[in-house]
Amino acid sequence: MEPLQFFKRWFATVSQAGRSVVHAGASGLEEDARKKVLLVNTLCCITAILAFAVGYVFYRATGLPRIYIPAAIEGALFTFIIALNGLRRYGAASVGLLLVHCAGALYFSMLLGQLMNFSLIVVFLFGLCFLVYSQKRQRILGLAATAFTLVFLELNFYFHFFSPIEISLRNQFLFRWIAMPSFLLFDALVLYYYIRENKRLFQQVKMVVFKTTHELRNHLTSNSILLELLKNDAKENPDLERIRPYIDQLSVINAGMSNVVSNVLSMGEIEGGKMDELENHTFHIRPFLNNIAGIHRIKARLKGVVIKLHIDKGIPPIIVSDSHQLNIVITNLLSNAVKYADENSEITMKVLTADAFFRISVSNQCPEIPGDKLKYLFEKFFTAKTDHQEGSGLGLYIVKNIVDNFGGACGVKSNARETTFTVKLPLKTGHPCNLPEEHDNYIYRMENALVLFAEDDLMNHRLLFNLLQSFGCTVSGSINGGQLIETLGQCNILPDCILLDAQMPEMGGLQTLRYIRSHPVFQDIPVIFITARTDNKDELLEAGASAVVPKPFDKKTLFSVISRHLQSVNADHY
């Protein structure tokens, strides 16, 4: 047998044996319990090997059996702890791990005195208590054992209960340079496991936040569609006009919830360095600002607060900017102003020109914000709220990051009379020919357009069906991509448009899109995603999506996107 093949076989055998030792007693356990068994076995295996090896090397250098024999016993005890795990005596094994480490630290520290860098061992032992023990009682006992070991050795250092052995200077250097890397290895192992567990915890929290915001966006979408249908009914039926105030209040509540979810997702994008690039839209600035102010006026009235909007005559009627990001900035500023305004007071929002920029200022009457707090207001999670006021501390942080992304600036000043937040953004005049079609004053009709959609949330499914029908569309709904493809294959006439949710059971939106784009008969049908996810927009567009509409959406947005991508149907406005 060639030496290389022999080495490979030997290494494979040793690796397999090592895996068997580390996994002793771990089979059949739940994930958390299994990880603790693997941790205990790994630490015991490493410590046993070091005890045998370091003890033997030091024995050969000094000829002192008082070092090697206890080291060999320590190695044997750690091997026995692995056997306890193999016998599924997990409690005894985890307790034994700490006790043997404490006993070894006590013995060798008394034997070797200051040669033992006990501070490194203490860090390891304290960390071990939190890694291995999950129950409060176990942790307290483990910490007590570690503290006792530390206190006893400190007392021994001062009162010399046990005198250390005499070792030559050469052997002292030998021991320090053998022992210190071993102690550092133990600390590094504890740190590694802590970092790994924190990453796992972070991923779990991230997944919970993602699932929660996904569910919230589904519910908000249901609310948005339902509110649009209620508005239509109230407009067409004079007897329902009396419920208009309630519809307006529900719209404000829904907008507030959407803003909270949007802030959480925006924070995730900012922290992950994945903030959306700015997209230029051409739009009328005055209706845009009046609409945002109008939504907040409804909530402000509950506090007796009046919102006044002043737009400088020098502001062009049409501008080019990212309307979505600008909406987030103004919404957060106005929400903040309404939240902290004194009752029966006034909020003033001014939009003024300033060279190649326009400046938006929002002023409210509220208690003066101390100067030492002003400079922190745009930081994450910082808020100047009082005990009876709620606030996440995200709104202004997101405002600053968006404004920075625009290449603008933001500031705040406060005195006893009022507090004013100001943002300065680039001003670019738009041209009327670049304006998208406006639908505010029209009934939305897409007569005879055939639209297929897939949405697994049953409430959203039903409401989206009703909304599309209110547009005049012929509609067919599915609850997943597989069902939609089956329906598509049975169509005598190709649909004019397909709407897909991204997250669906059995066959998700992206998989469905790829099938449609790969099929020669279906590949040219516009496919629009309506999704609660915001992190995979580029992936969907690269795969062939015609557009991505984030949840929650409004009727105007959905109608505009669908009508823009219809193949053979004209969107008629009456």
Side-chain angles (χ1 to χ4, degrees):
M1 183 182 296
E2 295 182 4
L4 182 60
Q5 291 180 338
F6 173 79
F7 176 77
K8 286 183 177 179
R9 288 190 178 182
W10 175 83
F11 182 77
T13 302
V14 172
S15 298
Q16 182 61 40
R19 281 193 293 270
S20 299
V21 170
V22 170
H23 285 79
S27 61
L29 296 178
E30 294 183 0
E31 185 66 16
D32 288 341
R34 180 176 172 274
K35 286 182 177 180
K36 286 183 181 178
V37 169
L38 294 178
L39 172 62
V40 170
N41 287 345
T42 300
L43 292 174
C44 286
C45 186
I46 292 173
T47 312
I49 292 171
L50 287 174
F52 286 124
V54 174
Y56 180 75
V57 169
F58 203 63
Y59 171 72
R60 294 288 297 178
T62 63
L64 296 173
R66 284 190 293 173
I67 293 178
Y68 180 65
I69 293 176
I73 293 173
E74 186 180 27
L77 288 173
F78 282 117
T79 305
F80 177 68
I81 291 171
I82 296 174
L84 285 176
N85 271 335
L87 296 172
R88 300 189 178 274
R89 302 293 298 275
Y90 305 119
S94 59
V95 170
L97 173 67
L98 185 67
L99 291 180
V100 173
H101 268 295
C102 286
L106 274 172
Y107 177 80
F108 288 107
S109 293
M110 290 186 296
L111 187 70
L112 300 171
Q114 296 185 21
L115 286 178
M116 284 285 289
N117 196 333
F118 188 66
S119 59
L120 295 177
I121 302 177
V122 169
V123 172
F124 165 71
L125 293 176
F126 276 115
L128 197 62
C129 293
F130 290 96
L131 274 178
V132 175
Y133 303 131
S134 56
Q135 296 181 9
K136 183 177 180 180
R137 183 180 178 184
Q138 290 178 328
R139 281 185 178 172
I140 291 174
L141 291 174
L143 292 171
T146 304
F148 170 79
T149 304
L150 174 62
V151 170
F152 183 85
L153 290 176
E154 285 294 315
L155 291 174
N156 185 63
F157 176 78
Y158 288 107
F159 298 106
H160 303 290
F161 302 132
F162 300 91
S163 298
I165 60 175
E166 295 291 335
I167 300 177
S168 67
L169 185 61
R170 172 179 170 275
N171 287 332
Q172 288 182 31
F173 279 112
L174 175 65
F175 180 81
R176 287 182 66 85
W177 288 108
I178 291 177
M180 188 176 295
S182 302
F183 300 151
L184 289 173
L185 173 63
F186 288 136
D187 290 340
L189 283 172
V190 169
L191 184 61
Y192 165 76
Y193 275 101
Y194 267 115
I195 292 173
R196 194 177 73 170
E197 288 302 301
N198 283 333
K199 282 185 177 179
R200 185 173 70 92
L201 180 60
F202 173 76
Q203 290 299 325
Q204 289 176 340
V205 171
K206 186 178 179 181
M207 185 56 64
V208 168
V209 171
F210 169 76
K211 289 182 177 179
T212 302
T213 52
H214 183 270
E215 289 301 314
L216 282 172
R217 285 194 160 200
N218 274 330
H219 291 307
L220 289 169
T221 300
S222 298
N223 290 347
S224 298
I225 299 174
L226 188 56
L227 285 167
E228 294 291 352
L229 295 172
L230 283 171
K231 287 178 183 177
N232 286 344
D233 289 346
K235 187 182 295 184
E236 295 172 3
N237 189 343
D239 294 336
L240 296 178
E241 187 61 30
R242 60 186 177 80
I243 69 171
R244 171 69 67 174
Y246 302 112
I247 295 175
D248 291 340
Q249 290 179 19
L250 286 173
S251 298
V252 173
I253 294 170
N254 205 55
M257 292 172 63
S258 297
N259 189 49
V260 171
V261 173
S262 176
N263 282 345
V264 172
L265 294 175
S266 296
M267 184 194 71
E269 292 171 358
I270 292 168
E271 295 298 300
K274 298 179 180 179
M275 198 169 180
D276 288 341
E277 293 184 6
L278 297 174
E279 297 180 1
N280 284 332
H281 311 127
T282 303
F283 58 97
H284 287 285
I285 184 64
R286 283 172 174 79
F288 174 81
L289 295 171
N290 277 314
N291 182 56
I292 300 174
I295 292 173
H296 287 84
R297 282 191 179 109
I298 299 171
K299 185 176 181 180
R301 281 201 296 265
L302 298 176
K303 295 180 67 174
V305 174
V306 176
I307 296 178
K308 293 185 177 181
L309 174 61
H310 300 286
I311 303 176
D312 186 13
K313 292 181 179 179
I315 296 290
I318 301 171
I319 71 167
V320 178
S321 186
D322 190 321
S323 58
H324 174 66
Q325 298 293 334
L326 185 57
N327 191 339
I328 293 174
V329 169
I330 299 172
T331 294
N332 275 306
L333 291 177
L334 279 177
S335 296
N336 199 61
V338 172
K339 185 186 302 179
Y340 298 115
D342 294 335
E343 292 188 1
N344 304 312
S345 62
E346 186 178 287
I347 293 174
T348 303
M349 178 175 166
K350 295 180 180 179
V351 184
L352 309 170
T353 55
D355 298 327
F357 292 83
F358 68 103
R359 188 172 70 249
I360 301 172
S361 66
V362 177
S363 304
N364 71 338
Q365 297 166 18
C366 66
E368 182 178 358
I369 302 174
D372 59 338
K373 288 187 176 182
L374 285 178
K375 59 183 178 181
Y376 299 112
L377 285 178
F378 293 99
E379 293 189 4
K380 182 174 56 179
F381 300 132
F382 185 86
T383 175
K385 69 175 189 278
T386 58
D387 292 338
H388 65 279
Q389 292 169 321
E390 296 180 358
S392 64
L394 288 179
L396 295 176
Y397 168 74
I398 289 163
V399 165
K400 184 175 189 310
N401 279 275
I402 293 177
V403 170
D404 288 346
N405 201 25
F406 269 109
C410 50
V412 57
K413 60 180 181 179
S414 182
N415 54 45
R417 188 170 59 86
E418 67 178 12
T419 295
T420 302
F421 286 89
T422 304
V423 296
K424 185 180 177 183
L425 300 169
L427 177 61
K428 183 178 180 181
T429 303
H431 196 277
C433 67
N434 295 325
L435 284 170
E437 293 185 60
E438 295 289 344
H439 309 294
D440 287 338
N441 299 320
Y442 300 92
I443 298 173
Y444 305 116
R445 303 300 295 173
M446 292 185 290
E447 297 291 352
N448 302 319
L450 176 57
V451 179
L452 269 59
F453 76 89
E455 167 63 68
D456 64 309
D457 185 272
L458 296 180
M459 179 62 75
N460 282 344
H461 184 102
R462 181 178 300 176
L463 293 173
L464 183 58
F465 189 95
N466 292 341
L467 183 62
L468 291 170
Q469 278 193 329
S470 75
F471 292 163
C473 301
T474 301
V475 189
S476 177
S478 306
I479 60 171
N480 59 56
Q483 192 179 98
L484 182 137
I485 287 173
E486 185 178 342
T487 302
L488 186 60
Q490 297 170 356
C491 289
N492 296 322
I493 301 174
L494 289 180
D496 299 294
C497 186
I498 294 174
L499 308 180
L500 291 177
D501 185 17
Q503 299 290 112
M504 295 184 291
E506 296 184 24
M507 189 173 187
L510 184 59
Q511 188 179 356
T512 306
L513 172 66
R514 286 172 175 162
Y515 173 84
I516 293 171
R517 290 292 177 251
S518 66
H519 199 287
V521 177
F522 309 137
Q523 62 184 3
D524 294 326
I525 301 172
V527 178
I528 298 169
F529 273 82
I530 302 175
T531 176
R533 293 192 63 178
T534 58
D535 60 335
N536 65 339
K537 178 180 177 181
D538 291 339
E539 183 182 12
L540 296 176
L541 293 174
E542 288 173 4
S546 304
V548 179
V549 178
K551 294 179 179 177
F553 56 86
D554 56 31
K555 179 175 68 173
K556 175 182 175 181
T557 300
L558 183 64
F559 181 83
S560 176
V561 173
I562 294 176
S563 62
R564 194 165 62 244
H565 290 91
L566 286 179
Q567 287 184 319
S568 58
V569 180
N570 292 320
D572 299 318
H573 314 298
Y574 299 96

